[in-house]
Amino acid sequence: MTKKSLIFLFIFSLLSISCQTVQKNETVIENTIYESKDYLHKITSKTYYIAEHNTSCTIISIDLDIPGLELIIKPSSPENKQFPLYSLDSFSREFNSIVSINTTPFYTRKNYFAPLGITKIDNNIISPAEEKYSAIAFYTNKNKKLRSVILKSQKDEEIQKYPFVIGGYFKLLENNQLTFDKNITRRSRSAIGVSKDGRFLYLLCAVPVNSLLDNNGLTFNECAQELQNAGSYNVLLLDGGHSSSIAVKDRIIQKPIGQKKVPSVLGFSIN
């Protein structure tokens, strides 16, 4: 066999391996993260590859009826007038969370970082509202069950009746209808969806695969549609871009290259 033939065979074998890898990445992988003893309440994770946009997407669904489920909301207060920054792996280890996701957008001034929007914990305002943006709220219903609702704005009349409120960006899906008429540029996205009855949460993180440029990912509507397909009736866009990340226990499942630490995180623990 000639040297040219050997080179050709080597290149062909590499291309074959690459094709097999892409095909494998397109397969949906489902894993149960947690099941209670009665097998009725659970947290599940689904990670899949969207080849058209070279994007990896994870959706984690959470049944709020899980016995012993507790919210972990950060920041809980500034430390020495400075909000601490978290990576989700260290956050999970420090607060023993089983699932966590970045949430509220934030602004920076030199070395000062602060949430750009409401953080309300047990009726205490930790960071002020940004009225033009939307939010997610948590409350206990008459049956003493934890439930969630996505609010259209952070105005007082919307947030005042809920003990726990976390700011985001925009409501992408309202009563099962898309709220944006045009597609926005693709990028890394974090978002959270809520079922019609408020019992189930769907946490999404989608990031471009092996890309230094944040020029793939999902548009607003694509993000909403992925969560709608998972079971969401309303969807809130969270901080995205290099802030996007999602973790199971202390393992980060999705994050973009150059991912940043963030001051605002929503986590869940089980006692």
Side-chain angles (χ1 to χ4, degrees):
M1 188 177 286
T2 66
K3 188 176 180 181
K4 275 188 178 179
S5 298
L6 285 170
I7 292 170
F8 175 78
L9 283 173
F10 176 70
I11 293 171
F12 180 77
S13 65
L14 285 179
L15 288 172
S16 298
I17 291 169
S18 298
C19 290
Q20 289 168 9
T21 303
V22 171
Q23 190 173 10
K24 185 177 179 182
N25 284 342
E26 288 175 341
T27 303
V28 173
I29 301 169
E30 294 192 55
N31 294 308
T32 297
I33 300 167
Y34 169 83
E35 282 190 350
S36 62
K37 291 179 181 177
D38 58 12
Y39 299 102
L40 293 177
H41 314 301
K42 59 186 178 180
I43 297 172
T44 60
S45 172
K46 180 174 73 173
T47 297
Y48 51 99
Y49 178 67
I50 304 172
E52 184 181 359
H53 310 311
N54 189 35
T55 295
S56 178
C57 184
T58 294
I59 295 179
I60 297 177
S61 63
I62 302 174
D63 184 348
L64 294 180
D65 276 358
I66 292 174
L69 186 71
E70 293 188 357
L71 298 172
I72 308 168
I73 300 172
K74 296 296 175 181
S76 53
S77 64
E79 296 176 3
N80 299 320
K81 298 183 179 180
Q82 171 72 283
F83 288 94
L85 299 178
Y86 300 98
S87 61
L88 294 193
D89 50 355
S90 62
F91 173 90
S92 300
R93 287 190 293 269
E94 183 176 351
F95 301 106
N96 197 30
S97 71
I98 193 167
V99 173
S100 55
I101 190 170
N102 70 291
T103 55
T104 311
F106 60 95
Y107 67 90
T108 62
R109 291 178 185 165
K110 295 183 179 180
N111 292 321
Y112 179 78
F113 299 82
L116 185 62
I118 186 73
T119 306
K120 184 181 181 184
I121 302 175
D122 225 357
N123 288 312
N124 295 311
I125 303 294
I126 308 301
S127 59
E130 191 72 25
E131 291 190 357
K132 63 182 178 181
Y133 293 143
S134 303
I136 184 168
F138 294 90
Y139 64 98
T140 303
N141 67 12
K142 61 182 180 181
N143 297 318
K144 298 184 178 180
K145 299 288 188 180
L146 183 64
R147 290 294 180 262
S148 184
V149 61
I150 292 178
L151 309 176
K152 197 167 186 178
S153 78
Q154 297 179 23
K155 293 179 180 179
D156 282 347
E157 58 266 30
E158 290 214 53
I159 67 173
Q160 63 184 356
K161 61 182 178 180
Y162 298 105
F164 299 92
V165 185
I166 304 163
Y169 270 127
F170 311 109
K171 199 170 185 181
L172 300 184
L173 190 71
E174 184 171 18
N175 298 331
N176 217 30
Q177 301 295 317
L178 296 172
T179 59
F180 280 82
D181 294 330
K182 60 181 181 178
N183 275 327
I184 309 298
T185 305
R186 287 189 179 84
R187 65 182 309 195
S188 296
R189 301 286 180 196
S190 292
I192 189 166
V194 178
S195 63
K196 188 175 182 178
D197 61 1
R199 173 178 168 178
F200 294 94
L201 294 184
Y202 304 92
L203 281 56
L204 174 145
C205 185
V207 302
V209 176
N210 296 329
S211 175
L212 290 170
L213 301 174
D214 200 17
N215 56 358
N216 282 307
L218 301 178
T219 65
F220 284 4
N221 284 346
E222 288 166 348
C223 184
Q225 286 165 340
E226 294 296 327
L227 282 167
Q228 185 180 42
N229 292 338
S232 301
Y233 195 73
N234 292 283
V235 170
L236 172 68
L237 181 69
L238 303 173
D239 195 15
H242 291 287
S243 298
S244 291
S245 57
I246 197 167
V248 174
K249 296 185 177 177
D250 62 351
R251 185 167 69 91
I252 297 178
I253 304 296
Q254 297 282 9
K255 67 175 182 178
I257 295 174
Q259 192 259 336
K260 298 176 180 177
K261 291 184 177 182
V262 296
S264 300
V265 180
L266 170 64
F268 298 86
S269 63
I270 299 171
N271 290 331

